[in-house]
Amino acid sequence: MQLHGAFTALTLLLAATVMLPHAVQAYEFDMVFQTKCIMEDVGEHEEVQGNYYAYQREGAGQAVPIDARFEDPQGVLVFEKQGSATGEFSFISNGEGEYKLCFTAKDYHTAQGTRIKMKWSTGVEAHDWQAVAKKDNLNVIQVEMRRLEQVVQTIHLELQNIRRKEERMRDINESTNNRVAWFNVIVALICIALAAWQLWYLNKVYG
């Protein structure tokens, strides 16, 4: 019975996770320029976790100290670390939008030979479920059920966000349609006025 419950929980978790957008992003890239930025859309009140490591592209992967700066959509600083090849960040987003993480090398020459490996997790994937299990003394099934509950809540929030975006787009479309309609009316009135003026002018000249 316990195995059946575990199988059911895992099946539901897998089904819910498939519906969820990919919440774990792994990157590995060359800096090329002195400053390199990574941007990602994050939902409101969403947990964000990640880490990075900067190293030389050639030369046995020697660590390279860099500066890291993480900003929210309004440009407010949420994480900063200077002069370190590694770093970890963790925070709860204050609002929905595009969050930006920028890495800066000490100079252009250093950036040319620097590669960065990083991981960026949001939502359910950013949560430390092992810590939850130890804290609340939960077994595997209970942890997976907690995780499933969190996944369902995340999907619900995503659907609400999509609905709000659709409402905003509908309002924009309606506003645009109204402006286009008024513009057409004004153009028609101008054309009528010009036609009337031409008739008056022709009657005055040749009448």
Side-chain angles (χ1 to χ4, degrees), residues 107-173:
D107 52 46
Y108 178 77
H109 178 72
T110 302
Q112 285 287 300
T114 300
R115 178 171 291 175
I116 296 176
K117 182 184 294 185
M118 66 166 292
K119 180 181 178 182
W120 181 334
S121 304
T122 59
V124 177
E125 296 301 329
H127 204 66
D128 189 351
W129 294 105
Q130 291 184 350
V132 172
K134 291 179 181 179
K135 179 181 177 181
D136 298 338
N137 194 26
L138 304 176
N139 59 34
V140 175
I141 298 176
Q142 291 171 325
V143 171
E144 292 301 330
M145 291 303 295
R146 287 274 189 95
R147 180 181 167 87
L148 175 61
E149 181 182 2
Q150 191 69 37
V151 168
V152 172
Q153 291 177 356
T154 302
I155 293 173
H156 178 66
L157 291 175
E158 286 293 332
L159 292 175
Q160 287 183 330
N161 289 335
I162 292 172
R163 188 178 297 112
R164 284 197 296 268
K165 290 178 181 178
E166 289 178 347
E167 290 175 354
R168 286 199 294 267
M169 287 300 298
R170 186 176 64 248
D171 292 341
I172 292 173
N173 289 335

